[in-house]
Amino acid sequence: MFDKILIANRGEIALRVLRACKELGIATVAVHSTADEDAMHVRLADESVCIGPPPAKDSYLNIPALLAACEITGADAVHPGYGFLSENARFAEILAEHNVHFIGPRPEHIRLMGDKIAAKRAAEQLGIPTVPGSEGGIGSDEEARRLAGETGFPVMVKAAAGGGGRGMKVIRSEADLPSALAMARAESKAAFGDDTLYLEKYLERPRHIEIQVLGDGKGRAIHLGERDCSLQRRHQKVWEEGPSPALNTTARDAIGETVARAMREIKYLGVGTVEFLYDDGAFHFIEMNTRIQVEHPVTEMITGIDLILEQIRVAAGNDLQLGQDGVKFHGHAIECRINAENAVSFRPSPGKIIHYHPPGGLGVRVDSAVYHGYAIPPFYDSLVGKLIVHGKTRVECLMRLRRALDEFVIDGVETNLPLFRALAQEKDIIDGDYHIHWLEEFLARGGLAS
Ligand code: ADP
């Protein structure tokens, strides 16, 4: 096992990793920018190192500073959390060159899944169903026109290097094609330094359903069921739940086993999420994230399995102890991403928290790194924390969620708590009857104001 883990992240995920390390008896090193001197992860870690000024590129993305921090503290492993360097294959390689373990998959798998065209091709070869569309990148506008014609409008063009919904455009007719391609290319070039696009059938009303996997890199791999993340705004997840209201046990076992088999075949190491659009009873692969995800607590609540702990164990070379038969699903969990932002305009609202009272009680979990008097810096994402609620049934989970949301007090900054309070009362949500555009349609018709 590792002796000392450096956590190359901040906020709630840094704290989440720290908790797992403490339970395993592993010493922890926090790193922080000058804007995060007072952050909770810094306070709770055994040691901390300042790695640079506030902008992420100078601190949390600063590889030389992180290497120096490993060397100064003698950390033998790095946990990257999510975001930042978590899907940077080069970072994993550089750490290995310096005899520091990267807690994540092998660089070749990070690289493969980071290139969305290569990932889609790999998925097809592994027997995972994908969205119909181009075989690889699209070259000229003429080729795009031909492919779109074959696939049938509407189509979607996406950035091969994509992430966070950038470089994606829906194209409804041939006339819109040239301008949409130009916009998607420019956006992709600006965000990722690469303007390769690919094209796929645009699915009108699918659900976003993803499968959590865990492998030991030696050919043992299991799935831990699904999360339904269909409630999104601008392709960003807002509300996640598991199990999906749209799946039954047979469908879950079938897709779960397909994915687990693929992970066994490639000898996948660590945690990962295979994302699908689910439309008309069929799954279509869109991408794989080779890291822990924001919404991992949903799976932890319904399986009772600590994903970060398992992630650290397998990264240290331990065999996967859990077999598929050992994974049992209990009840229902919902996660709400509480952001410091205006609930209507979504404008970020950094600043000082003057009152903070998180909800508690049976089945209520809050993963957050804020505290009374903490000032949310303006430099990073606006996540204040995650409220995760568990119940024996979905009905009980929703009842508990409404109660927990009522109890939650965060004063001094604006938050999207009013949005969640409204969602938890909506008939479609209560019925589990929603798709990836539901939330934007709800907001467009002024659902929150009414
Ligand atoms: P990113 O890596 O940028 O997050 P994804 O491929 O994961 O991009 O897609 C993000 C979201 O975009 C999906 O959850 C879904 O809402 C939407 N999306 C992606 N592909 C399609 C498609 N073919 N049809 C309809 N919606 C899509």
Side-chain angles (χ1 to χ4, degrees):
M1 193 35 99
F2 305 122
D3 292 320
K4 194 187 268 192
I5 293 179
L6 181 142
I7 304 162
N9 216 300
R10 63 182 301 284
E12 69 85 20
I13 193 61
L15 208 54
R16 171 70 191 86
V17 174
L18 199 141
R19 286 175 173 147
C21 292
K22 286 215 165 162
E23 289 180 17
L24 286 166
I26 299 170
T28 50
V29 180
V31 293
H32 64 91
S33 71
T34 50
D36 276 341
E37 263 157 19
D38 297 327
M40 197 50 117
H41 75 282
V42 177
R43 295 185 180 196
L44 291 185
D46 297 311
E47 289 170 78
S48 66
V49 180
C50 180
I51 49 165
K57 67 173 178 33
D58 301 321
S59 49
Y60 297 102
L61 294 170
N62 182 343
I63 295 179
L66 287 163
L67 275 180
C70 287
E71 207 164 305
I72 294 164
T73 57
D76 55 350
V78 168
H79 195 300
Y82 53 68
F84 295 134
L85 294 167
S86 61
E87 288 173 297
N88 185 316
R90 191 63 203 126
F91 179 53
E93 284 167 355
I94 291 171
L95 287 177
E97 285 158 17
H98 290 79
N99 295 318
V100 178
H101 291 267
F102 175 77
I103 300 177
R106 282 188 287 273
E108 77 213 56
H109 288 152
I110 305 177
R111 205 164 265 135
L112 174 69
M113 298 303 171
D115 176 340
K116 296 177 73 172
I117 295 175
K120 200 170 164 183
R121 210 171 277 145
E124 270 159 19
Q125 280 163 6
L126 289 163
I128 297 175
T130 60
V131 191
S134 62
E135 289 271 322
I138 43 176
S140 61
D141 285 18
E142 190 40 49
E143 190 187 349
R145 187 169 299 118
R146 184 178 55 76
L147 283 165
E150 281 168 23
T151 311
F153 286 98
V155 295
M156 189 174 216
V157 286
K158 301 164 76 170
R166 279 166 302 180
M168 287 174 26
K169 291 280 171 268
V170 183
I171 309 175
R172 297 207 167 264
S173 70
E174 204 174 310
D176 299 340
L177 221 130
S179 62
L181 284 172
M183 265 158 71
R185 283 201 188 99
E187 217 174 288
S188 174
K189 184 89 191 166
F192 314 110
D194 176 343
D195 65 359
T196 312
L197 302 178
Y198 64 108
L199 178 147
E200 55 191 37
K201 176 87 194 144
Y202 179 68
L203 304 171
E204 293 278 2
R205 274 177 157 40
R207 298 181 81 113
H208 172 119
I209 297 180
E210 56 188 36
I211 307 289
Q212 175 71 53
V213 294
L214 169 67
D216 65 5
K218 303 169 194 171
R220 272 172 293 256
I222 54 172
H223 76 87
L224 295 117
E226 83 282 11
R227 296 183 287 261
D228 194 317
C229 313
S230 304
L231 290 172
Q232 307 180 349
R233 179 179 166 268
R234 298 196 174 161
H235 306 301
Q236 297 294 318
K237 298 161 189 167
V238 171
W239 160 307
E240 301 105 346
E241 64 180 296
S244 167
L247 290 194
N248 59 30
T249 311
T250 314
R252 168 173 316 112
D253 290 351
I255 191 67
E257 190 41 41
T258 299
V259 171
R261 201 187 314 121
M263 295 302 117
R264 289 194 280 272
E265 198 171 322
I266 63 170
K267 295 193 166 62
Y268 186 75
L269 170 63
V271 295
T273 301
V274 181
E275 299 193 334
F276 294 94
L277 293 177
Y278 181 70
D279 188 42
D280 220 6
F283 283 94
H284 305 279
F285 170 89
I286 45 173
E287 68 166 341
M288 176 171 186
N289 288 322
T290 53
R291 55 168 165 85
I292 195 74
Q293 282 191 303
V294 178
E295 60 272 25
H296 76 275
V298 167
T299 301
E300 294 186 327
M301 300 303 271
I302 59 172
T303 61
I305 294 167
D306 184 326
L307 285 172
I308 305 265
L309 205 130
E310 296 299 332
Q311 185 188 21
I312 295 171
R313 278 194 182 135
V314 292
N318 295 293
D319 291 350
L320 191 62
Q321 301 269 302
L322 276 163
Q324 195 64 55
D325 291 348
V327 182
K328 302 271 184 261
F329 301 102
H330 302 285
H332 196 92
I334 297 174
E335 175 182 278
C336 301
R337 295 194 192 191
I338 316 288
N339 292 331
E341 65 189 15
N342 182 283
V344 178
S345 70
F346 295 95
R347 194 170 12 85
S349 173
K352 190 165 179 165
I353 295 178
I354 52 171
H355 284 296
Y356 181 67
H357 175 77
L362 182 65
V364 176
R365 165 176 172 182
V366 177
D367 277 20
S368 173
V370 308
Y371 53 86
H372 188 98
Y374 173 72
I376 301 168
F379 308 103
Y380 313 106
D381 67 32
S382 55
L383 186 71
V384 176
K386 307 179 305 202
L387 169 63
I388 310 106
V389 172
H390 182 259
K392 285 197 289 294
T393 60
R394 190 166 184 271
V395 171
E396 187 183 282
C397 189
L398 280 165
M399 282 164 38
R400 191 161 283 156
L401 177 64
R402 282 183 217 110
R403 186 273 287 170
L405 286 165
D406 273 350
E407 235 174 274
F408 218 141
V409 178
I410 306 169
D411 279 348
V413 296
E414 292 180 302
T415 73
N416 58 355
L417 280 167
L419 171 65
F420 291 112
R421 289 185 184 125
L423 290 179
Q425 304 283 355
E426 274 297 306
K427 182 172 185 308
D428 288 348
I429 303 285
I430 293 167
D431 294 344
D433 185 14
Y434 56 81
H435 50 79
I436 59 169
H437 306 297
W438 187 95
L439 181 57
E440 291 198 344
E441 289 171 8
F442 169 79
L443 295 168
R445 65 173 181 264
L448 197 54
S450 62

